[in-house]
Amino acid sequence: MNVKRLILVTAKYLPQHKYFETLAKQIAEQLRVPLDIIEEDYVFVNTYGEKDEFGMAWLPQLFAELNGEIKPILTRLPINEKTLDVDLEKARRDILNALGLAQ
């Protein structure tokens, strides 16, 4: 897939923000694409993002612009079932899988 840019829609006060920001910066650097970080744009996430059973989107969510299309590539952080911590390596693999770049 031809990734034009990554877009992180977030809110700095959310506990997950630091994980999403770290992952987004690492993947953008790895792919050599720009990263746009947007604060609390609920119109964007409601248009392009994942929603709950009530039709409401949440933050943070990470998106990729692929050939003119916006696609969510990470909407929830995976949790390691043994340690109950955020699994950043699995999150990184999930992002690359979503982009069709799994190794």
Side-chain angles (χ1 to χ4, degrees), residues 4-56:
K4 299 284 186 200
R5 66 182 170 136
L6 297 182
I7 305 158
L8 174 61
V9 184
T10 188
K12 289 181 182 170
Y13 58 84
L14 294 172
Q16 308 95 325
H17 166 77
K18 64 183 176 186
Y19 300 113
F20 270 83
E21 184 178 43
T22 297
L23 286 164
K25 287 179 178 178
Q26 289 173 350
I27 298 294
E29 184 177 316
Q30 178 182 342
L31 300 178
R32 294 183 176 94
V33 296
L35 169 63
D36 295 338
I37 299 177
I38 303 169
E39 284 280 321
E40 298 188 64
D41 189 341
Y42 286 96
V43 173
F44 188 94
V45 293
N46 274 305
T47 301
Y48 299 107
E50 199 170 296
K51 298 176 183 80
D52 65 16
E53 65 273 13
F54 302 109
M56 299 296 295

Side-chain angles (χ1 to χ4, degrees), residues 75-91:
T75 59
R76 301 170 197 259
L77 291 170
I79 302 296
N80 181 308
E81 292 180 17
K82 292 179 183 171
T83 65
L84 301 179
D85 290 325
V86 172
D87 190 337
L88 293 178
E89 277 309 308
K90 181 166 183 348

